[in-house]
Amino acid sequence: MTGMRGLSVFISDIRNCQNKEAERLRVDKELGNVRTCFKNEKVLTPYKKKKYVWKMLYIHMLGYDVDFGHMEAVSLISAPKYPEKQVGYIVTSCLLNENHDFLRLAINTVRNDIIGRNETFQCLALTLVGNIGGRDFAESLAPDVQKLLISSSCRPLVRKKAALCLLRLFRKNPDAINVDGWADRMAQLLDERDLGVLTSSTSLLVALVSNNHEAYSSCLPKCVKILERLARNQDVPQEYTYYGIPSPWLQVKAMRALQYFPTIEDPSTRKALFEVLQRILMGTDVVKNVNKNNASHAVLFEALSLVMHLDAEKEMMSQCVALLGKFISVREPNIRYLGLENMTRMLMVTDVQDIIKKHQSQIITSLKDPDISIRRRALDLLYGMCDVSNAKDIVEELLQYLSTAEFSMREELSLKAAILAEKFAPDLSWYVDVILQLIDKAGDFVSDDIWFRVVQFVTNNEDLQPYAASKAREYLDKIAIHETMVKVSAYILGEYGHLLARRPGCSASELFSILHEKLPTVSTTTIPILLSTYAKLLMHTQPPDPELQKQIWAIFKKYESCIDVEIQQRAVEYFELSKKGAAFMDVLAEMPKFPERQSSLIKKAEDVEDTADQSAIKLRAQQQPSNALVLADPQPVNGAPPPLKVPSVSGSTGPESVARSLSQPNGTLSNIDPQNPSPDLLSDLLGPLAIEGPPGAVSSEQHGPIGAGGAPDEVDGSAIVPVEEQTNTVELVGNIAERFHALCLKDSGVLYEDPYIQIGIKAEWRGHHGRLVLFLGNKNTSPLTSVQALILPPAHLKLELSPVPDTIPPRAQVQSPLEVMNIRPSRDVAVLDFSYKFGTNVVSAKLRIPAVLNKFLQPLQLTSEEFFPQWRSLTGPPLKLQEVIRGVRPLVLPEMANLFNSFHVTICPGLDPNPNNLVASTTFYSESTGAMLCLARIETDPADRTQLRMTVGSGDPTLTLELKEFIKEQLIAIPVGSRALVPAAGPGPGQAPPAVQPPSPVIAADDPGAMLAGLL
Amino acid sequence: MIKAVMMMNTQGKPRLAKFYDFMTVEKQQELIRGVFSVLCSRPENVSSFLEIDSLFGPDSRLVYKHYATLYFVLVFDGSENELAMLDLIQVLVETLDKCFSNVCELDIVFNYSKMHAVLDEIVFGGQIRSCLKRDFTCPEVCFRVARPIASKLA
């Protein structure tokens, strides 16, 4: 390989190129040259071929597309000599992807090398498969590679590669590799003395365990043994130490593998592991040598993660926090970075927040670190650790940092500051201060949500109004202010400017002139707000000021012919209205209070964070928000504040409904003459701050974020009328329907969550029996009372719920077992009717219990000898049903196979001669049928994945039908975002919102999947 | 798993690039450029970690080391330990140092083919394969690495 002069010359030429153009010319020339040579096979010696193939790879790296010569590269693989073969393997693995057709041609050669005797060739072949092996390779080579790994005659260096090769094949196509019985082999492999093989095997174990930890529980103590051997006994050959540390990579891998097991039950294993961890935690010091530092801290940080995962005793946890506290102040930037990152993860562990808070000042210092990576970590951590006690400090730090932060961070920074300010504000005037400062300093990064929100707070809290108005007035004195500031101060001064009338510089005409100065600088979206403000100022001037009126009328006149319809309409309407005296006063009366709702801001942040894997969101949900910010006034005795609904613009709202809105106890519209206002006028005034209905009123948005007003255009032209009943909804955490669908496939998880309570579920299934445990957790610091849970069972299930205590103490969790027995096959679902009281709010919800058909299935894999006689014995309807299904979610076969396996209908690979078909089997358990074998066959059309033919058979006609319908639902189901149950709170019974699903069989009709199925 | 290994010089020229998920040439070049534009703006004495989600998708991390005129970059997902990855760069560099006795950018440029062999010995299909000379199978690498690295390092 050395001494390829041609290659060196070519590389020098490229290096000598003065510019990109010259380089391109040289490359084109070379490609032409290579192409000609490849065509002339007679003179193409192996040496030349090798040289050209290297050149191709070099050109490829420079970023040029090399669209020929792949065949030559692949053909080198079968060369008899090492140098050519090696080039072939390396270049092929760089140039071709796993689906390339040429690779199939090479499978045989690769296989021969793998099963051959030449170790070097074995290694090369394994490397290729490990780099680009796809499905074809997995199917034809996996058994050979598995054999190599466990073979006692192979040298470690081959077995090591075999382990990693298998890992790659398994990761890419888990279904193509048969890992049955590998649990024992893996356990044996972990006894290996050779550390190289052990490291690779541990990597393989990590992948296998992450897929199915239960099967590999026998490997858990072995991982602990490895750690003991390395970290405690230092029983390692010299060449496997790295800067004096016994194979840090292996230690890290072993600890990583342990983190995939939910917990360690065996007390002696647990004790041994904690001993090792303690040793690692205590025995690591920061030393001078950077490389040694890195290695030892790699092990240390992994140990920290493991300690957090295992939920160790408080003492050990505080030890960890103390260590992290040390790290975030060291000189070495990498350690600082990881210290902050791990501290953020630590926040998820309960009870350590207080210890972390001790390091607050150091974390704030990290916000000024020269390294942006570190600053980001510090921001995340501050955001995560903020609560009522330290919000003031942290938010003020963030505001200060905002002026110096780079632009790429400002948006995130301002959003986070706004959220923290809202969530943990110690008092309201502080909140207003923060948001106004935020708009002032980083107006470009303040989304509309943020200023909508501050307006809502000010509107709903009378004490705050004069303060907010005076603040808004102060900002207007600044020479250049951001447009958002113009919007928010115009709005606030329009509404509440009159409260300042006696202060100097705050008379209506002065307010008008200072606001009007800004008008030439703003865009057309702000002008309507200014016009509304002018109208309001005019209305509040008592007695009327003819001078001001003249000025404002002139402006209205000017905009009467504006090209922007919104501006034009407002100008015309305000002008006409302002001549009408009493009606003007009524229409422009103060805005009514907003209904209480979750901040769209927080909602948005939660949506973003949900995708991040280690978000602090769980924590956020637990933290008690400040009580300072309550959107609505304390509720009147008779229950919730008046809910508002958005009818259409058409003006269908009869006067009586308007009248009713006016009679609401705390509605501020009560001074309006019920007969007078037309919905249109009202609607116009509502423009900038639209009001959405409560969930349930607008069916398509039942679960959408209950936004702080949304965009004006969404609800443009709408009036306020009350809903028939006073229902108050709690904001759900997560989507109930999605949670239910997830729980249909797994046995533990969260069934329901709102700001007060979380209901978790854990289930075990044995034949036709099931035992579920409901975990009811109170998330608050005050008790939940009048807790009631009632099961509404469908006819085919026998359910027994142990009594639920009436009261759940603060921050406590109660368990309530639920016994299930399946009497006969049915797809109906049991419903849990659940309600509780928090303060004066009654919250109730109807939740589907995930005791569904597939829970009574047990996976069963049949061989062809077992399958076909059974299949033939089922002759036709009603025991065997066939249906062509259209409108199927397009899935490739492996995905479909995974889907089937996920609901315990086991795919039996290789039984059907046609590769586009799937054959599956399972056992169903119920009291009436006993254990009943079920078989299914799916015939797909590779050309059209949206349709397939399904045949289902079993010994029971009902079961066949139900199972067929069940599978159909799964294949066409769109389980996300479906219309789910809305928990509702109301003062009395009989107020369940219409969306609540009655128990079976109507449920099927409410499920989109079932509905679709019905249509088909 | 490791998603990509890159070496580039301080002018942004790629010297070696290997991606363990298949990507088109254009995409590869775009990523190399993207990574370089972030790297070149970083001062000395800052951490070796970068958030790189915008280039490589969610849950991607990047560590790099800067040696003389070269950047060594590893991109990987959340299943790897960041510091262990940093160590891996060190191992790679020390191995190259053995192969070329005092490696410099020119060695890497002209021994392009050998570079690939060395890399394949250390990173295997996105997994750490080996950090020790003893494990190397490729003859020319073994030949050049006269003494076990570890003995010197210890």
Side-chain angles (χ1 to χ4, degrees), chain A residues 1 8 11-12 15 23 54 57-58 60-63 65 82 86 90 93-94 97 123 126-127 130-131 157 160-161 164-165 167-168 171-172 194 238-240 242-243 249 252-253 256 291 294-295 297-298 301-302 333-334 337-338 341 371-373 376-377, chain B residues 1 13-18 20-22 25 28-29 42 45-51 61 65 78-84 86-88 90-91 94 106 109-110 112-114 116-117 120-121 124-125 127-129 131-132 134-135 137-140 150 154:
Chain A
M1 192 160 80
S8 297
I11 294 176
S12 309
R15 276 171 54 78
E23 182 186 292
W54 272 124
L57 185 57
Y58 195 80
H60 175 82
M61 186 197 64
L62 290 175
D65 207 6
Y82 176 80
Q86 186 224 17
I90 289 183
S93 68
C94 286
N97 78 36
C123 290
L126 288 171
T127 311
N131 276 323
L157 65 92
K160 211 174 338 187
K161 289 205 169 185
L164 292 175
C165 185
L167 168 57
R168 148 90 190 197
R171 278 221 173 131
K172 286 276 164 183
D194 183 277
Q238 174 70 36
E239 68 266 29
Y240 276 101
Y242 174 80
Y243 288 96
W249 292 275
V252 165
K253 281 280 176 219
R256 191 51 68 101
N291 295 319
N294 282 345
H297 284 82
F301 277 113
E302 204 60 54
N334 289 337
Y337 174 94
L338 291 171
E341 187 179 12
D371 183 353
I372 185 172
S373 304
R376 278 186 196 279
R377 288 281 81 87
Chain B
M1 100 174 228
K13 279 236 180 288
R15 290 306 180 207
L16 183 79
K18 189 150 185 171
Y20 293 93
D21 287 322
F22 182 76
V25 183
Q28 293 188 2
Q29 292 299 313
R42 289 181 62 83
N45 298 324
V46 292
S47 71
S48 308
F49 307 114
L50 274 182
E51 279 171 35
R61 290 125 199 264
K65 262 189 163 183
S79 68
E80 303 288 345
N81 179 308
E82 287 99 335
L83 283 174
L86 205 55
D87 291 339
L88 196 65
Q90 182 64 20
V91 169
E94 286 178 12
L106 277 186
V109 173
F110 283 103
Y112 176 65
S113 43
K114 197 185 288 175
H116 269 282
D120 275 352
E121 291 302 320
F124 179 104
Q127 296 293 324
I128 305 174
R129 191 182 83 76
C131 309
L132 296 165
R134 210 187 83 169
D135 299 331
T137 45
C138 145
E140 58 270 57

Side-chain angles (χ1 to χ4, degrees), chain A residues 747-758:
Chain A
D747 284 336
S748 65
V750 176
L751 181 66
Y752 170 88
E753 187 168 1
D754 68 26
Y756 311 119
I757 195 166
Q758 186 190 53

Side-chain angles (χ1 to χ4, degrees), chain A residues 71-253:
Chain A
M71 194 62 216
E72 280 74 9
V74 173
S75 70
L76 278 175
I77 291 181
S78 39
K81 288 216 189 94
Y82 176 80
E84 283 81 28
K85 201 183 246 313
Q86 186 224 17
V87 176
Y89 272 119
I90 289 183
V91 175
T92 305
S93 68
C94 286
L95 288 185
L96 303 191
N97 78 36
E98 64 178 58
N99 301 318
H100 204 289
D101 286 338
F102 286 168
L103 271 187
R104 295 216 181 90
L105 306 177
I107 288 189
N108 240 344
T109 324
V110 175
R111 178 157 194 265
N112 286 337
D113 280 339
I114 286 182
I115 56 178
R117 289 291 169 88
N118 187 324
E119 267 181 2
T120 327
F121 290 179
Q122 279 180 325
C123 290
L124 283 177
L126 288 171
T127 311
L128 176 92
V129 181
N131 276 323
I132 55 167
R135 172 163 289 275
D136 296 335
F137 279 84
E139 279 163 3
S140 46
L141 297 178
D144 297 318
V145 179
Q146 282 172 327
K147 243 177 254 160
L148 282 185
L149 173 58
I150 51 175
S151 141
S152 52
S153 58
C154 270
R155 281 217 293 156
L157 65 92
V158 178
R159 296 176 55 204
K160 211 174 338 187
K161 289 205 169 185
L164 292 175
C165 185
L166 204 56
L167 168 57
R168 148 90 190 197
L169 296 178
F170 180 75
R171 278 221 173 131
K172 286 276 164 183
N173 299 294
D175 54 307
I177 308 244
N178 182 7
V179 286
D180 296 345
W182 265 81
D184 296 340
R185 296 211 179 124
M186 277 315 298
Q188 277 168 28
L189 279 169
L190 295 179
D191 286 332
E192 175 69 44
R193 284 300 297 172
D194 183 277
L195 285 184
V197 179
L198 199 51
T199 310
S200 303
S201 306
T202 320
S203 296
L204 179 59
L205 177 69
V206 170
L208 292 171
V209 170
S210 64
N211 203 39
N212 173 9
H213 65 80
E214 279 144 7
Y216 294 90
S217 54
S218 58
C219 297
L220 192 151
K222 308 269 178 169
C223 290
V224 178
K225 282 255 154 50
I226 295 174
L227 285 174
E228 282 186 306
R229 175 178 163 196
L230 296 176
R232 194 184 67 193
N233 309 342
Q234 312 255 326
D235 169 17
V236 181
Q238 174 70 36
E239 68 266 29
Y240 276 101
T241 57
Y242 174 80
Y243 288 96
I245 296 151
S247 186
W249 292 275
L250 178 54
Q251 292 192 48
V252 165
K253 281 280 176 219

Side-chain angles (χ1 to χ4, degrees), chain A residues 325 473 514 667 895 990:
Chain A
R473 173 71 188 77
I514 196 161
E895 278 170 4

Side-chain angles (χ1 to χ4, degrees), chain A residues 415 446-454 599-601 604 707-708 710:
Chain A
L415 184 66
V446 174
S447 60
D448 282 348
D449 293 338
I450 298 180
W451 83 263
F452 287 170
R453 193 73 179 151
V454 75
S599 161
S600 65
L601 215 57
K604 195 161 107 187

Side-chain angles (χ1 to χ4, degrees), chain A residues 679-867:
Chain A
D680 284 359
L681 291 176
L682 261 179
S683 70
D684 200 50
L685 301 181
L686 286 172
L689 271 167
I691 298 174
E692 286 173 32
V698 189
S699 62
S700 64
E701 289 202 10
Q702 280 176 10
H703 281 278
I706 314 302
D713 47 339
E714 266 176 41
V715 257
D716 220 321
S718 46
I720 324 167
V721 290
V723 203
E724 296 302 315
E725 288 161 345
Q726 295 202 342
T727 50
N728 180 23
T729 55
V730 284
E731 190 62 33
L732 299 183
V733 180
N735 180 325
I736 297 191
E738 279 173 24
R739 290 190 189 281
F740 171 76
H741 284 292
L743 282 170
C744 287
L745 296 182
K746 55 182 195 177
D747 284 336
S748 65
V750 176
L751 181 66
Y752 170 88
E753 187 168 1
D754 68 26
Y756 311 119
I757 195 166
Q758 186 190 53
I759 305 180
I761 210 163
K762 206 170 174 181
E764 282 173 52
W765 306 95
R766 290 258 184 291
H768 65 285
H769 287 282
R771 184 186 158 86
L772 283 81
V773 183
L774 297 175
F775 296 86
L776 311 171
N778 180 354
K779 292 158 63 174
N780 290 277
T781 47
S782 47
L784 298 178
T785 54
S786 311
V787 179
Q788 286 184 343
L790 193 69
I791 291 283
L792 313 172
H796 74 285
L797 291 179
K798 210 188 256 175
L799 292 156
E800 228 171 275
L801 179 68
S802 310
V804 175
D806 185 61
T807 305
I808 306 179
R811 300 232 169 234
Q813 192 183 55
V814 296
Q815 297 184 7
S816 176
L818 170 66
E819 302 289 344
V820 184
M821 191 166 82
N822 188 19
I823 300 167
R824 60 177 171 272
S826 163
R827 284 168 301 131
D828 293 347
V829 186
V831 170
L832 173 72
D833 186 355
F834 175 77
S835 67
Y836 67 90
K837 231 161 133 183
F838 178 74
T840 55
N841 277 3
V842 179
V843 178
S844 73
K846 289 203 165 60
L847 305 166
R848 285 181 281 177
I849 300 281
V852 287
L853 184 81
N854 61 310
K855 301 286 184 186
F856 303 103
L857 297 177
Q858 277 199 356
L860 170 77
Q861 191 149 31
L862 295 184
T863 62
S864 60
E865 295 82 45
E866 293 159 338
F867 186 89

